[in-house]
Amino acid sequence: MSELVRFGISLDENLLKDFDALITDKQYSNRSEAIRDLIRNSLVEDEWKKGKEVAGAISLVYDHHKRELMDLIVAIQHEYQDMIVASQHAHLDHHNCLEVIIVKGRSEKIKRLSDKLRAVKGVKHGSLTLTTLGKEL
Ligand code: NI
């Protein structure tokens, strides 16, 4: 880890009051920790925008009784197998399944895979959570 550097920030009083309330709400132990998190979030979002290699999780909820849905979801995953690190399937009830697919690759390619899976007929809900490989933070 690199050396810690201290620096001052000038801020409008009301803005600081609101920020302190947010810090309490989000359970940060101090302002420095909260500001560090904000900076890291911005850097990670920048990685996504610049199409760098990132990590992510695609979650899908679907009814496995729907015809051809399972075949299609598996076929798409094979098509993108170079990016898929792991996947976990959970049976939520008699009809519904939750599948979480962990991915690693260029952000735009991950988004394309996520869009493709979410567009499969019978997928009730899909979400993509992007994060970072953590190398540059
Ligand atoms: Ni299932």
Side-chain angles (χ1 to χ4, degrees), residues 62-64 70 89-99:
Y62 56 80
D63 183 343
H64 73 97
M70 294 284 285
H89 183 109
H91 315 299
L92 297 173
D93 58 30
H94 185 68
H95 295 279
N96 296 296
C97 304
L98 167 64
E99 193 153 326

Side-chain angles (χ1 to χ4, degrees), residues 29-47:
S29 48
N30 55 54
R31 285 175 183 160
S32 291
E33 196 48 52
I35 289 167
R36 273 195 285 272
D37 230 23
L38 285 174
I39 292 172
R40 285 194 198 108
N41 275 343
S42 298
L43 291 171
V44 168
E45 276 178 30
D46 199 52
E47 286 182 2

Side-chain angles (χ1 to χ4, degrees), residues 63-74:
D63 183 343
H64 73 97
H65 290 120
K66 291 267 185 221
R67 281 181 55 201
E68 292 164 12
L69 180 143
M70 294 284 285
D71 286 349
L72 198 48
I73 282 178
V74 171

Side-chain angles (χ1 to χ4, degrees), residues 8-32:
I9 300 174
S10 305
L11 218 57
D12 177 89
E13 201 183 346
N14 287 330
L15 191 61
L16 184 60
K17 217 193 280 174
D18 289 347
F19 187 57
D20 281 340
L22 184 81
I23 286 171
T24 308
D25 204 40
K26 301 258 184 194
Q27 302 185 49
Y28 285 108
S29 48
N30 55 54
R31 285 175 183 160
S32 291

